[in-house]
């Protein structure tokens, strides 16, 4: 599937029960050929309304985090843009955690997005993004601080912005993760 076919498949997906309660599927946003890919967990209420990942306070924090390392989801030269996607494309009711069968039904969409985008680095934000990409049940705290791989693409693990809004002391750790991601990206040449 190319990008238009993948978007259409996500828009028409009925593989799990989340399709019955969603307002909008949340495909992703940004430059589809960006060198950086941000992977989050699942849409929340505001994302479901807008059909875009990382909106509201968590989205503003993500935008500030990206700006701090010279990146944006907005219009900019391609080397400064990111593509942002979630593991799940539909919102779980009441923003509950994704269930394993929902992740299993949706995971192939994310995998295809990664194949099409061919990012040079992935920033995995939050437990379910990390577990999905790395196939690991380890806590984020155990996985942070080093470079992982998803099909030869470097993956840096960090906290989800929504978590950081509730746990302000971990913002410093997340900054370390962003610096590691930037260093890793630059080392690739």
């Amino acid at each position: 599937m190319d990008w238009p076919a993948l978007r259409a498949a996500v828009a028409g997906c009925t593989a799990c029960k989340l399709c019955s309660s969603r307002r909008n599927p949340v495909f992703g946003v940004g430059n589809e050929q960006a060198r950086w890919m941000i992977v989050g967990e699942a849409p929340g209420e505001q994302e479901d309304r807008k059909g875009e990942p990382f909106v509201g306070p968590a989205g503003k924090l993500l935008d500030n985090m990206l700006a701090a390392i010279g990146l944006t989801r907005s219009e900019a030269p391609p080397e400064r843009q990111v593509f942002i996607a979630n593991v799940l494309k539909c919102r779980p009711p009441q923003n509950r955690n994704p269930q394993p069968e929902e992740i299993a039904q949706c995971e192939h969409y994310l995998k295809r997005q990664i194949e099409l985008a061919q990012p040079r680095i992935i920033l995995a934000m939050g437990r379910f993004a990390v577990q999905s990409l790395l196939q690991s049940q380890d806590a984020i705290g155990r996985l942070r601080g080093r470079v992982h791989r998803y099909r030869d693409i470097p993956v840096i693990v960090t906290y989800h912005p929504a978590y950081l809004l509730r746990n302000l002391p971990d913002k410093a750790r997340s900054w370390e993760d962003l610096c590691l991601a930037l260093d890793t990206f630059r080392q690739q040449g």
Side-chain angles (χ1 to χ4, degrees), residues 5-165:
L6 185 58
R7 278 185 189 279
V10 168
C13 183
T14 58
C16 75
K17 63 184 179 257
L18 294 180
C19 68
S20 64
S21 60
R22 74 176 179 221
R23 289 185 184 145
N24 293 295
V26 180
F27 181 79
V29 67
N31 185 331
E32 293 170 347
Q33 301 305 313
R35 296 175 186 158
W36 286 71
M37 188 165 187
I38 313 299
V39 177
E41 300 179 322
E45 183 178 5
Q46 294 179 28
E47 289 86 358
D48 181 47
R49 245 188 247 132
K50 193 169 181 183
E52 184 176 313
F54 288 97
V55 298
K60 286 182 186 202
L61 178 55
L62 175 61
D63 289 342
N64 290 338
M65 293 167 70
L66 293 174
I69 59 170
L71 299 173
T72 182
R73 67 168 104 188
S74 302
E75 288 298 317
E79 64 273 7
R80 291 196 52 234
Q81 288 184 306
V82 298
F83 184 77
I84 304 172
N86 284 321
V87 174
L88 288 189
K89 308 305 182 195
C90 297
R91 174 185 178 227
Q94 286 77 49
N95 294 345
R96 67 161 166 73
N97 286 337
Q99 296 175 350
E101 61 273 11
E102 294 163 347
I103 292 172
Q105 291 295 329
C106 217
E107 219 167 20
H108 69 283
Y109 293 131
L110 176 63
K111 289 179 180 180
R112 186 63 184 146
Q113 285 176 310
I114 294 169
E115 289 170 3
L116 289 171
Q118 299 179 352
R120 289 181 41 206
I121 192 163
I122 298 172
L123 191 59
M125 304 187 103
R127 177 171 56 133
F128 297 101
V130 170
Q131 289 175 351
S132 181
L133 290 170
L134 301 183
Q135 297 298 301
S136 172
Q137 296 301 311
D138 287 346
I140 289 176
R142 300 180 125 229
L143 296 169
R144 306 181 39 258
R146 61 186 194 267
V147 179
H148 303 272
R149 298 267 169 195
Y150 173 84
R151 298 184 182 174
D152 287 332
I153 302 167
V155 176
I156 305 300
V157 170
T158 195
Y159 300 107
H160 193 283
Y163 168 85
L164 294 173
L165 290 171

